[in-house]
Amino acid sequence: MSDLWIALARAVHLGTSFSLFGCLLFRVWVARPSLPRFRAAASARVEVRLDRLAIFSLGAALAAAVAWLVAEGAGMSGASFGQIGPALGAIVLGTQFGTDFLVHLALLAAAGACLLLERRRGDAARYPVGALAAGFAGAAILALAAIGHAAAMTGWERPLMMLVQGVHLLAAGAWLGSLIPLFVLLGQCAGTPPAAMAARRFSVLGIVCVSALAVSAAANGWVLVGDIPGLFGTAYGRWALVKTALFAAMLGLAALNRFRFTPALAGADAATATRHLRRSVAGEVALGIALIVAAGLLATSVPAAHAQPSWPFSFRFSAAAMAIPELRSEIVTDLAYAAGGVAVAALGLWRRGLRLVIPVGLAFAAWCLAAPFNLLSVEAFPTTFYQSPTGGTAASVAAGGRLFAEHCATCHGPHGRGEPFMKPGVPGSIADLTAAHVYDHLDGELFWWIGNGIAGTPMPSFAETFVESERWKLIDFIHANADAARFLLWVPGPFPRPPPAPDFSAECTSAGEIQLSDLRGRIVLLIFSASGAATRLDHVVEATRDQTDVTTIIVPLAGEIAPRDAFCSSADPAIASAYAYYRAREPAKLAGTGFLIDVNGTLRDVVPYLVALPPVGLRAELDKIRRTPSVVAAQPHLHLH
């Protein structure tokens, strides 16, 4: 419930802040240039109403700010609304949110002071305090970008996305906040030249704001939504869809105003055109209020890019069929016929006498699309687009291997090849988890099948056996085991799917603790040393002495400590357990073995007795990796249903 109160309080504050800024901007840009002094009566009426609207918006914005602050404080501290008092001061003065919020309120207060000063002087033409008030109100809206999702980012994305968010808020405030002032002005000046001039000037403002909104919304969606699954499968994405639909509806009314009603204000029946325009503006106001509520709910939702999407459809699209020439030809032909049907329907819209062909063309297009839809779609599940949170670490692979041995090896065999029950081509046989089809399934699909089983096969449900984190560890093992099957059979030439090296942490004398993934761009020499092998590492020292792009990591077996300060080291036993799948299957047999990991973090070669390899041989291995870097690219999905 606290999130809902935060969203509603934030939406009210956002809407009233927009109203204040839009009203002040409208006075400076639209109202005063459109109402010259010789129309003193009309000008005075509009000025009075806009003053009242601005003062009301300021008061409502401050009241909503207090409500928002209290709701946020209750959410941060966990206290009830009645007990928030003691924690509120600490939140305001001791958090970044509180500091940014105080800056925002100070700018609102400055706008209000300028507004009161202007009313007191009463001569806006001589004293440009109104423009200063609009500037402070706009700055207050810009400050809200520091209290959004963009402010939680890191690196170069943070300032860039805060700028994008600031532009988005400013454009929204200028457009949405000016709608009610436009409605007021049209009501006071119906059928007069000032109304036509105001509508034209507002159109210019609207075009600029809509353009800025479209570009900034696209940037926000690219970063915070990320992809189609995030758009349809998360609360953030669905609110973004609602917001987009409302924006599109407002854009339609704005286009109607710009191209039909505004030009009609200069015609003979200007009064009727003004009434139509006011009704359209009122519709925009209603849609704008709904849009601001959606924005408030959006701002309190976890960004889709940081959430697991729950896919709402029973299918997903796949381009697998396009890799088969016969199916590709059939799909292209059907799509061409469907385009012809759409063209016929468009012709019916263009020529009034051909309206009857519209349903015929659309029906034909729908019929032609049925076959491509079946070929380009595969079964999907709620978890289809889940992504593994583990990062494919050595610890996760090792833990997944233990789970597999305990719960899965009975049917799938100790190496995952389906022994002894695999019968190729026989329905219901045990799947070979090292076969190519493993790469055709998304992680989320494997996650679903482990938890829910596969209908029509011996695969049971393990929902009660594995918690979610264990399912992901099991999936990491399945991928590593399939990669290892190919790695062990590797012959000179590129891998069809370069096996990623399981990640782990190590200690370095110069750099402290590092992750293997931090070494992208460098060649990594991973050596498993055994007792008594310390002196034999001299070969490695000699071979890598002048190799500035090589990092050597020693993993001592049986608790041995790495003997050289020039090497990084890690004593985590999970590393040997995970990398053993790529060589000996038993960690103890890795003694003296070296793995070569290239600049893309993929396994390239394994040398069983690397510590005995002469320096010239090791340099040759390193040079070979430099000459032929791996190309990291997943194979196309060719698994059809």
Side-chain angles (χ1 to χ4, degrees):
M1 179 60 73
S2 62
D3 287 343
L4 179 59
W5 281 113
I6 292 172
L8 292 177
R10 184 171 190 151
V12 173
H13 178 70
L14 194 64
T16 50
S17 298
F18 283 177
S19 180
L20 174 64
F21 172 57
C23 184
L24 296 175
L25 181 64
F26 185 88
R27 288 196 313 167
V28 174
W29 173 254
V30 178
R32 286 170 181 168
S34 303
L35 299 172
R37 287 187 175 280
F38 62 83
R39 294 187 177 273
S43 178
R45 288 196 302 271
V46 173
E47 284 282 353
V48 168
R49 283 166 173 76
L50 294 185
D51 278 348
R52 291 174 180 172
L53 177 61
I55 293 172
F56 173 80
S57 299
L58 176 62
L62 293 175
V66 173
W68 180 13
L69 184 61
V70 170
E72 284 280 7
M76 290 181 184
S77 64
S80 64
F81 288 127
Q83 300 173 336
I84 191 61
L88 201 57
I91 292 171
V92 171
L93 300 177
T95 65
Q96 187 61 46
F97 168 80
T99 301
D100 295 333
F101 203 82
L102 287 178
V103 171
H104 168 69
L105 291 181
L107 291 169
L108 278 182
C114 290
L115 181 61
L116 295 176
L117 180 62
E118 183 190 33
R119 292 191 70 195
R120 189 172 183 181
R121 291 186 174 184
D123 191 352
R126 184 177 177 185
Y127 301 104
V129 185
L132 188 60
F136 277 122
I141 290 176
L142 279 174
L144 287 174
I147 315 176
H149 291 305
M153 297 180 178
T154 57
W156 63 267
E157 287 185 333
R158 186 175 187 272
L160 179 61
M161 291 309 300
M162 284 182 66
L163 176 62
V164 169
Q165 187 64 30
V167 170
H168 189 77
L169 290 170
L170 200 63
W175 183 31
L176 301 181
S178 298
L179 289 173
I180 294 179
L182 178 63
F183 183 84
V184 170
L185 186 145
L186 292 174
Q188 294 298 317
C189 306
T192 64
M197 183 177 179
R200 288 194 297 270
R201 292 186 68 86
F202 179 81
S203 293
V204 175
L205 176 66
I207 290 171
V208 173
C209 292
V210 166
S211 301
L213 282 169
V215 173
S216 57
N220 276 326
W222 181 268
V223 174
L224 297 177
V225 176
D227 51 22
I228 297 299
L231 189 62
F232 289 98
T234 64
Y236 187 95
R238 288 188 287 270
W239 281 119
L241 283 175
V242 171
K243 188 179 174 184
T244 301
L246 292 169
F247 176 74
M250 291 188 68
L251 200 58
L253 288 178
L256 186 66
N257 298 343
R258 172 68 178 84
F259 297 108
R260 182 172 179 180
F261 297 143
T262 297
L265 293 177
D269 196 2
T272 301
T274 303
R275 286 197 300 272
H276 290 316
L277 182 58
R278 289 191 83 211
R279 290 172 186 168
S280 181
V281 170
E284 284 190 75
V285 170
L287 290 172
I289 292 172
L291 189 148
I292 291 171
V293 173
L297 293 166
L298 194 68
T300 55
S301 301
V302 177
H306 303 151
Q308 295 280 32
S310 180
W311 188 243
F313 307 112
S314 60
F315 65 91
R316 66 176 176 89
F317 289 106
S318 170
M322 297 297 289
I324 302 175
E326 296 81 2
L327 295 180
R328 181 170 63 245
S329 177
E330 179 182 344
I331 291 170
V332 171
T333 301
D334 287 338
L335 291 177
Y337 285 145
V342 173
V344 170
L347 180 63
L349 288 173
W350 182 51
R351 297 293 297 271
R352 191 171 291 182
L354 298 176
R355 294 292 172 85
L356 292 179
V357 305
I358 296 176
V360 176
L362 293 177
F364 178 75
W367 180 73
C368 291
L369 288 174
F373 176 83
N374 290 331
L375 290 173
L376 294 173
S377 63
V378 296
E379 186 181 15
F381 312 98
T383 65
T384 286
F385 293 102
Y386 275 21
Q387 296 182 352
S388 175
T390 64
T393 63
S396 180
V397 171
R402 292 191 294 270
L403 293 171
F404 186 89
E406 182 179 354
H407 299 281
C408 309
T410 303
C411 293
H412 287 282
H415 298 158
R417 296 174 185 168
E419 313 98 327
F421 306 108
M422 185 178 69
K423 298 177 181 179
V426 178
S429 63
I430 303 300
D432 180 2
L433 297 181
T434 65
H437 74 86
V438 171
Y439 300 107
D440 299 331
H441 299 297
L442 302 178
D443 284 357
E445 292 173 334
L446 298 178
F447 184 87
W448 177 266
W449 286 325
I450 292 172
N452 297 274
I454 304 176
T457 73
M459 177 66 183
S461 167
F462 285 95
E464 301 298 326
T465 305
F466 300 133
V467 298
E468 286 194 9
S469 60
E470 291 175 327
R471 288 195 227 176
W472 289 121
K473 293 173 183 176
L474 191 57
I475 290 170
D476 282 343
F477 166 77
I478 290 171
H479 284 310
N481 188 57
D483 289 339
R486 283 152 183 75
F487 188 75
L488 292 170
L489 298 176
W490 179 69
V491 294
F495 282 105
R497 181 184 185 274
D503 199 11
F504 58 87
S505 61
E507 285 287 340
C508 301
T509 304
S510 58
E513 184 174 350
I514 61 167
Q515 294 290 128
L516 177 64
S517 54
D518 296 333
L519 298 176
R520 296 292 171 87
R522 298 181 60 82
I523 297 174
V524 176
L525 185 55
L526 177 63
I527 301 174
F528 293 88
S529 67
S531 178
T535 57
R536 302 170 69 181
L537 290 172
D538 290 337
H539 291 304
V540 179
V541 175
E542 177 64 25
T544 59
R545 189 182 306 279
D546 57 348
Q547 308 286 316
T548 58
D549 61 339
V550 177
T551 297
T552 302
I553 301 177
I554 306 298
V555 178
L557 301 175
E560 182 186 349
I561 299 175
R564 303 282 183 177
D565 290 340
F567 298 151
C568 301
S569 65
S570 178
D572 184 357
I575 302 175
S577 298
Y579 279 82
Y581 294 116
Y582 297 90
R583 177 56 192 167
R585 294 280 173 181
E586 296 181 22
K589 293 183 178 181
L590 287 177
T593 300
F595 289 85
L596 277 73
I597 303 169
D598 69 9
V599 294
N600 292 317
T602 59
L603 290 171
R604 292 297 304 276
D605 204 354
V606 57
V607 182
Y609 302 104
L610 185 139
V611 293
L613 190 68
V616 64
L618 180 54
R619 289 196 191 100
E621 292 287 339
L622 295 173
D623 288 339
K624 181 174 65 176
I625 290 178
R626 292 189 186 96
R627 290 194 305 269
T628 58
S630 64
V631 178
V632 181
Q635 285 188 324
H637 291 267
L638 299 176
H639 197 64
L640 302 177
H641 298 277

